Amino acid sequence: MSGAPLRAGVVGLGWAGVTHAEAYAGLPGVEVHALAAQEPERLAAVGDRLGVPHLHTDWEDLVARDDLDVVSVAAPNWLHDRIAVAALEAGKHVLCEKPLALDAARGRSMVDAAVAADRVLWTVFNHRERGDVRTLRRYVDEGGLGRIYHVKAAWTRRRHTVGDTWFIRRDRSGGGPLIDLGVHMLDLVLHLMDEPVVTRASGFTHAELVPASIAAAGGDPAGYEVEDLAGGMLRTRSGASIYLEASWALHAPISGNEMAVTLHGTKGAATLVIKDYAPAGVLQISTDVAGTPAETFPVVPRGGGHSDVVEKFVTAVRSGEWGAHRGVEGLRRSIIVDALYRSAEKDEEVDVADEGEA
Ligand SMILES: NC(=O)c1ccc[n+]([C@@H]2O[C@H](COP(=O)([O-])OP(=O)(O)OC[C@H]3O[C@@H](n4cnc5c(N)ncnc54)[C@H](O)[C@@H]3O)[C@@H](O)[C@H]2O)c1
């Protein structure tokens, strides 16, 4: 580690931004130097708790500072590209919350800006840092499942929890549970399968339970502009198929919130179920032993998440090896989410555009 501390600025102080700020503050040689948020009390409280010298209510003022090395973007989705591009053009490295952007075109402009500025652009996919997911990834890498040819992944919420916020305005969020939760599951699947090339998408969206509940409460369901259930089938160049699903409200046999993924391979299957954000999920390996079905439940490590992402981002910035981190993985996921929405809209299977290489 060289002498001067790395100076970080964080835009947005919802759950995500506070988590970023705390993660930076916990790293040696890193200083949280500026925060920006539009809730003055929260800004003052977090600033005071973490000893942050510069507090702003508008992101433009934070990005204009010439004393920051890195900027975290934890603002609503529609602001991601504006903040990130401005920060990259000003020479900062950027850690951006998922989804990379409102849509793939905006995501592409962020990747282009990172290349032009020769800076790091990194999308936060924190769930792949979980101990259970890391264990599963190691098992896949060791060949435990053989060749993976079919995957099912779903993030299911039984009840709507995002309320009357930017999340339900299409021009602010880019969509509903698919772009919000589905992109996490898509990341897990692509990460666990070591980045297969997705070629075709057949998507669906529904908006049933949330609009009905808004109407039942005397509200205007038209104010709810996004889906409450979405997903689809993805085809890959290798022939593997992927089924993806995400809901903010669904009658389903779960208590509240469940993330589940099953990888089906030629030698076995692995199912990971994480109920209600449990720090360690249940990992089940299904194989044949002596021609008989057998189940194994590995004891998985607890924890892992945002702090690991922030630490990896900081390590990449310090390494000087910036060319390997231009946000292309985040863009790839945005392209697939776009294709699923496009397919649902057209009511037919669509090509998934090739994002090219940054
Ligand atoms: N990786 C994860 O697990 C995870 C979890 C939650 C949210 N997120 C992502 O983080 C982002 C923020 O989500 P959230 O739930 O924290 O949202 P939020 O609405 O709770 O917080 C948004 C923050 O952005 C600030 N903001 C808005 N406009 C601003 C402006 N012009 N200048 C400065 N600050 C401004 C708000 O004041 C607020 O502090 C989203 O992209 C979301 O998808 C990721």
Side-chain angles (χ1 to χ4, degrees):
M1 187 167 46
S2 66
L6 194 82
R7 288 176 163 182
V10 178
V11 179
L13 287 178
W15 180 84
V18 172
T19 309
H20 284 231
E22 290 172 348
Y24 285 120
L27 287 175
V30 181
E31 182 187 307
V32 187
H33 198 64
L35 300 172
Q38 298 194 318
E39 302 80 11
E41 285 182 10
R42 194 183 309 165
L43 186 60
V46 178
D48 188 48
R49 179 161 59 83
L50 300 180
V52 184
H54 304 288
L55 306 177
H56 305 279
T57 46
D58 288 316
W59 67 264
E60 286 95 336
D61 296 327
L62 181 143
V63 168
R65 301 192 65 85
D66 61 8
D67 53 4
L68 296 176
D69 302 296
V70 304
V71 169
S72 265
V73 180
N77 298 352
W78 68 285
L79 288 171
H80 286 191
D81 62 318
R82 299 178 195 204
I83 301 170
V85 169
L88 290 162
E89 286 177 349
K92 281 94 169 159
H93 303 278
V94 170
L95 178 62
C96 183
E97 266 301 338
K98 49 55 65 173
L100 178 63
L102 206 63
D103 57 34
R106 290 174 172 86
R108 164 52 77 185
S109 74
M110 296 162 72
V111 170
D112 288 347
V115 173
D118 188 20
R119 291 294 184 273
V120 171
L121 171 62
W122 190 297
T123 320
V124 176
F125 288 114
N126 43 305
H127 296 298
R128 62 161 80 171
E129 305 298 340
R130 293 177 56 94
D132 43 26
V133 174
R134 285 188 189 178
T135 302
L136 177 51
R137 167 76 199 232
R138 200 171 315 127
Y139 191 63
V140 169
D141 286 350
E142 287 170 359
L145 300 179
R147 178 175 48 80
I148 296 167
Y149 59 91
H150 182 61
V151 175
K152 298 189 281 268
W155 187 325
T156 310
R157 277 192 192 153
R158 191 161 175 166
R159 290 274 187 274
H160 182 51
T161 56
V162 301
D164 186 12
T165 60
W166 62 268
F167 281 93
I168 68 167
R169 312 265 175 257
R170 184 171 298 283
D171 64 346
R172 304 275 143 154
S173 59
L178 179 61
I179 197 168
D180 182 38
L181 308 179
V183 75
H184 273 303
M185 299 313 292
L186 178 62
D187 177 67
L188 285 188
V189 169
L190 299 184
H191 173 66
L192 289 166
M193 295 175 77
D194 201 16
E195 300 296 318
V197 177
V198 176
T199 53
R200 303 272 293 164
S202 179
F204 60 85
T205 60
H206 300 279
E208 296 284 349
L209 303 188
V210 177
S213 68
I214 292 171
D220 177 9
Y224 185 81
E225 299 173 356
V226 297
E227 80 277 4
D228 59 14
L229 169 69
M233 275 288 308
L234 301 173
R235 298 178 191 280
T236 65
R237 191 174 288 163
S238 69
S241 46
I242 299 167
Y243 174 73
L244 186 70
E245 194 182 282
S247 73
W248 278 347
L250 188 68
H251 294 304
I254 62 160
S255 59
N257 184 93
E258 184 179 286
M259 302 162 68
V261 58
T262 299
L263 309 171
H264 296 275
T266 50
K267 285 166 61 176
T271 301
L272 175 62
V273 178
I274 303 160
K275 288 185 187 296
D276 299 323
Y277 300 100
V282 175
L283 178 59
Q284 178 170 358
I285 309 293
S286 307
T287 50
D288 278 353
V289 172
T292 297
E295 309 300 330
T296 309
F297 294 87
V299 178
V300 291
R302 296 164 65 91
H306 267 88
S307 57
D308 303 271
V309 177
V310 170
E311 188 171 6
K312 284 184 176 178
F313 167 68
V314 165
T315 301
V317 168
R318 285 193 172 127
S319 75
E321 302 292 323
W322 303 335
H325 310 289
R326 304 293 199 205
V328 174
E329 276 193 0
L331 175 58
R332 202 173 289 146
R333 283 134 182 78
S334 290
I335 288 170
I336 296 167
V337 168
D338 270 17
L340 285 167
Y341 278 132
R342 194 168 67 250
S343 162
E345 177 111 29
K346 294 173 77 169
D347 203 21
E348 63 186 37
E349 189 172 89
V350 299
D351 279 336
V352 176
D354 184 355
E355 78 279 1
E357 285 307 317

